[in-house]
Amino acid sequence: MPVEVIYVLCLFLLALLLFALEPIPVDETSFYIMVLLVLAEILTPAEAVRGFGNETLLTLACMFILASGLIRTGVIDAAARQLLLLAPSAPRVALGATLGLATVLSAFVNNTPVVVMFIPLLIAIAKPHGISTSRLLIPLSFLATAGGTCTIIGSSTNLLVNAMMEQTFGMEPLRFFETGGFGLFLVLFVGVYLLVVGPALLPDRPSVVDLVPRSAPAHYVTQIRIGPGFRDLGKPITEVRLRSQALVISHILRGGASFWPPFGDGTVRVGDVWILHGPAQAIGELKEERGIELFPLLEERLSRAHGRESILVELLVPPASGWIGKRISDLRLWSHYRVNVLGVQRRGEHRLREQMEESRLEMGDILLALSPSADLHHLKQEIGFVLLDRIDKSVFRETRRIRAAVIFACVVVGMFLTNPSLHVPWFQSLGFLTVAMTGVAAMLLGGCLTLSEAYGSLDRKVLMLIVGTLALGDAMVKTGAAGVVAEWIIGPLATFGPRGALSGVILLSMALATVISKNAAALCITPVAISIAVQLGVEPRAFIMGVCLGASSSFLMPVSNQTHLMVYSAGQYRTRDFLKVGLPLSIGIWIMGSAIIPWIWPL
């Protein structure tokens, strides 16, 4: 085996390992892969960076900007709010319609901002009727993911596979609704599964703010740590009697674990941190309790906020937020909004503010914060987070709403008309990129968003990941490494023929997307899948669709998809919840895809 093939294969395996473990950010890994390919003279510098000029990459960047225009003018928010009118009389109908609308929107708008916008809407509909949000947010993420597969622009995975088809293999690009061949089946399958099987598998778990009464006047929240001198050590938590009976334990943190009422036979332990709520006078009496420690920063701020009604809120850090990478102390929420951060929830673990002071915020983190209710309207204007427990109007450019909706609709129609089979000559000569760029220009000229907002809407990590993995794909094809991997895979599947190889590609894409992001999985598997098809002497398009389906059907782990990470903390989920709901679903999708794809795209 030639040395360059061994070198590229080692880089391929190294990339998979780094994408899975993420000791460094995935975009940084992609950059290093490009550098190593150039240093080894596998690719020239021009070949390594040509992904920056890839039309599909630029189209994806334009779609990020167009989606931002819809959000900032309130188009998605306005559509979602109409469903709130159904909530008082028919909450379950409203919830079903909300999930349906999110699924449809995800076919035309990147599903991450759709999920971000719909999380507080679902909470606002469900909470007054006693419906747990943990029963709704996994379905939201799963359906939005499935909806995104119906068009080429609905899922970044489809666009990225299309980019590799054009740049690396010179193949005919995907048509606008081509992936809808399996996308519609996927939406129906996921919807029916969640409706029939989901209720038995989805958890019923409250959030922290659900446990704090909103109607009680002048309630405060505080944290105490149990010391070795506490009189009730070892007793059941339910038998503890604090000096003030007005204080209620709403939440207990022990290590990285969280406990909610009812506490059952749980006992009091040294080091436990209790989150209590009650009147300011009762909290003040905690100073007289022996064996407990009030957090100094919170004690000082509560005394300064005395007499002001405060409420507990959850703040979700969305993708592309300016907060990502910053420390809590850098946010200056107390000085700007009189908001005190009590703790942070990250991927199912609850951590105190004091434990997170030097940690950098990540996408999907939830800040548990205490906010004066009188100042809450100032907090809502901060665009660096999503206020989870209420659906209130933010600052939108409402006068540009219709204009933004019309522009986006024209972009979707224009992209559809570029389909060669429709024989619309002028649009056919334009292509996706020209239509998308024209839409961005119209958004900017129409005042739907500013240039700085357009720059801020770009997901730079995803774009850099694309460029780096495109370079790796080029190197695998150029050196023949993709063919070597294809031979490894074909060997065990040869007796099953092309259909068996296709089924194996779908399963491999699903498995890889479980441990790394779906986009990285798709970009790594696509050159291998095409090489398998070439060696078997069959049409590669079916194998490409298998990669798109398998990578997009990453329902087993929260880390495999941005939308899963968004709902992971908001719904108080655990990794086992995704495994429990996602495993039977994934097996069903694998069987369905293995049957449907060869039927639509004959081998």
Side-chain angles (χ1 to χ4, degrees):
M1 187 181 296
V3 175
E4 60 268 20
V5 174
I6 297 174
Y7 182 81
V8 172
L9 287 176
C10 289
L11 279 184
F12 177 71
L13 295 175
L14 177 64
L16 293 181
L17 182 65
L18 293 177
F19 287 151
L21 301 179
E22 279 197 58
I24 56 176
V26 293
D27 49 335
E28 189 175 343
T29 296
S30 300
F31 176 72
Y32 294 149
I33 293 295
M34 293 168 57
V35 172
L36 290 172
L37 289 171
V38 173
L39 289 176
E41 298 185 347
I42 303 294
L43 298 178
T44 66
E47 289 173 332
V49 301
R50 70 171 177 156
F52 284 110
N54 184 279
E55 286 197 13
T56 304
L57 174 79
L58 298 175
T59 301
L60 178 60
C62 289
M63 297 310 299
F64 283 142
I65 297 173
L66 290 168
S68 178
L70 293 181
I71 292 171
R72 292 184 180 278
T73 54
V75 173
I76 297 177
D77 182 78
R81 283 177 185 278
Q82 297 303 311
L83 299 174
L84 283 174
L85 301 176
L86 288 172
S89 57
R92 297 190 181 278
V93 173
L95 290 171
T98 302
L99 293 172
L101 178 60
T103 306
V104 173
L105 286 174
S106 295
F108 303 99
V109 183
N110 183 276
N111 57 19
T112 301
V114 171
V115 170
V116 170
M117 295 291 290
F118 275 73
I119 286 174
L121 176 67
L122 283 174
I123 294 174
I125 295 175
K127 186 172 292 184
H129 299 279
I131 302 173
S132 173
T133 53
S134 64
R135 310 278 290 176
L136 302 171
L137 296 188
I138 278 183
L140 171 65
S141 183
F142 283 13
L143 286 169
T145 300
T149 64
C150 293
T151 68
I152 188 174
I153 65 172
S155 169
S156 56
T157 305
N158 294 346
L159 281 169
L160 303 187
V161 170
N162 187 62
M164 185 163 283
M165 289 171 60
E166 291 185 278
Q167 174 173 309
T168 306
F169 295 94
M171 298 175 63
E172 179 186 343
L174 297 174
R175 296 185 298 276
F176 188 81
F177 283 113
E178 185 165 358
T179 57
F182 65 79
L184 290 175
F185 282 101
L186 182 61
V187 168
L188 290 173
F189 187 83
V190 173
V192 171
Y193 172 84
L194 291 173
L195 187 64
V196 176
V197 182
L201 300 179
L202 289 165
D204 188 353
R205 196 173 290 131
S207 68
V208 177
V209 294
D210 290 335
L211 301 171
V212 180
R214 299 183 182 276
S215 56
H219 263 241
Y220 294 88
V221 177
T222 190
Q223 299 173 158
I224 63 172
R225 181 180 281 116
I226 303 300
F230 189 57
R231 66 176 181 276
D232 290 332
L233 279 179
K235 289 186 177 180
I237 297 171
T238 52
E239 296 181 10
V240 172
R241 295 293 181 266
L242 295 173
R243 188 176 297 272
S244 174
Q245 298 298 312
L247 290 174
V248 178
I249 306 172
S250 65
H251 187 207
I252 292 179
L253 303 178
R254 181 176 293 163
S258 306
F259 302 92
W260 293 270
F263 297 110
D265 56 357
T267 58
V268 181
R269 297 185 187 178
V270 174
D272 282 354
V273 174
W274 294 1
I275 296 179
L276 310 171
H277 64 85
Q281 180 180 356
I283 289 178
E285 294 175 3
L286 284 171
K287 298 176 184 178
E288 302 175 19
E289 290 276 0
R290 292 185 177 181
I292 67 169
E293 175 190 348
L294 265 175
F295 289 85
L297 180 63
L298 185 57
E299 183 180 2
E300 174 193 350
R301 291 181 178 177
L302 280 174
S303 63
R304 289 165 61 182
H306 181 73
R308 305 179 69 191
E309 182 181 355
S310 297
I311 59 174
L312 195 64
V313 295
E314 290 176 307
L315 309 176
L316 174 67
V317 181
S321 168
W323 285 13
I324 295 175
K326 293 184 178 181
R327 293 184 292 263
I328 294 177
S329 55
D330 296 334
L331 305 181
R332 307 181 71 85
L333 288 178
W334 174 256
S335 59
H336 288 171
Y337 306 108
R338 287 296 182 265
V339 172
N340 186 65
V341 177
L342 303 179
V344 180
Q345 184 184 109
R346 175 174 295 167
R347 301 186 184 183
E349 285 194 0
H350 296 255
R351 310 179 189 190
L352 299 176
R353 178 198 171 107
E354 285 70 14
Q355 298 170 327
M356 295 290 291
E357 281 289 351
E358 298 304 317
S359 297
R360 306 282 179 173
L361 288 178
E362 298 177 3
M363 186 272 292
D365 283 352
I366 291 183
L367 308 184
L368 181 65
L370 191 65
S371 169
S373 56
D375 297 335
L376 194 60
H377 66 284
H378 297 302
L379 186 63
K380 295 170 193 170
Q381 298 178 16
E382 171 61 56
I383 61 172
F385 59 83
V386 177
L387 194 61
L388 280 188
D389 59 329
R390 59 202 72 239
I391 177 85
D392 293 295
K393 283 196 174 183
S394 301
V395 180
F396 295 120
R397 298 186 181 95
E398 296 185 2
T399 57
R400 304 289 194 274
R401 181 176 295 163
I402 296 177
R403 187 176 303 172
V406 171
I407 291 171
F408 190 82
C410 289
V411 169
V412 171
V413 173
M415 287 184 168
F416 176 68
L417 293 178
T418 60
N419 190 336
S421 62
L422 296 178
H423 304 294
V424 184
W426 187 66
F427 279 97
Q428 190 172 332
S429 64
L430 291 180
F432 283 175
L433 178 58
T434 306
V435 174
M437 289 175 62
T438 304
V440 170
M443 285 275 191
L444 292 171
L445 292 172
C448 300
L449 75 169
T450 65
L451 188 60
S452 62
E453 291 168 345
Y455 284 135
S457 66
L458 297 176
D459 193 331
R460 293 176 290 276
K461 292 186 68 171
V462 170
L463 298 178
M464 189 64 217
L465 169 67
I466 297 168
V467 175
T469 45
L470 282 176
L472 180 59
D474 286 348
M476 291 182 69
V477 173
K478 184 178 181 179
T479 61
V484 172
V485 177
E487 290 176 0
W488 292 346
I489 297 174
I490 289 176
L493 299 175
T495 56
F496 299 101
R499 285 179 176 267
L502 171 62
S503 183
V505 166
I506 296 173
L507 186 61
L508 180 61
S509 301
M510 278 184 169
L512 199 56
T514 299
V515 293
I516 64 177
S517 74
K518 62 175 184 175
N519 290 336
L523 287 169
C524 290
I525 294 297
T526 297
V528 176
I530 294 176
S531 297
I532 290 174
V534 170
Q535 292 187 27
L536 291 174
V538 297
E539 169 59 41
R541 221 163 184 85
F543 283 79
I544 292 170
M545 294 301 158
V547 173
C548 290
L549 173 63
S552 297
S553 304
S554 48
F555 299 120
L556 289 176
M557 297 290 284
V559 296
S560 59
N561 197 321
Q562 279 192 337
T563 61
H564 298 348
L565 282 175
M566 299 300 294
V567 304
Y568 186 66
S569 294
Q572 301 288 332
Y573 293 119
R574 306 289 182 269
T575 299
R576 64 176 179 269
D577 295 326
F578 279 84
L579 285 170
K580 187 177 178 181
V581 180
L583 183 58
L585 177 61
S586 298
I587 294 172
I589 292 172
W590 174 49
I591 296 172
M592 179 202 72
S594 299
I596 289 177
I597 290 179
W599 175 56
I600 301 175
W601 294 275
L603 295 170

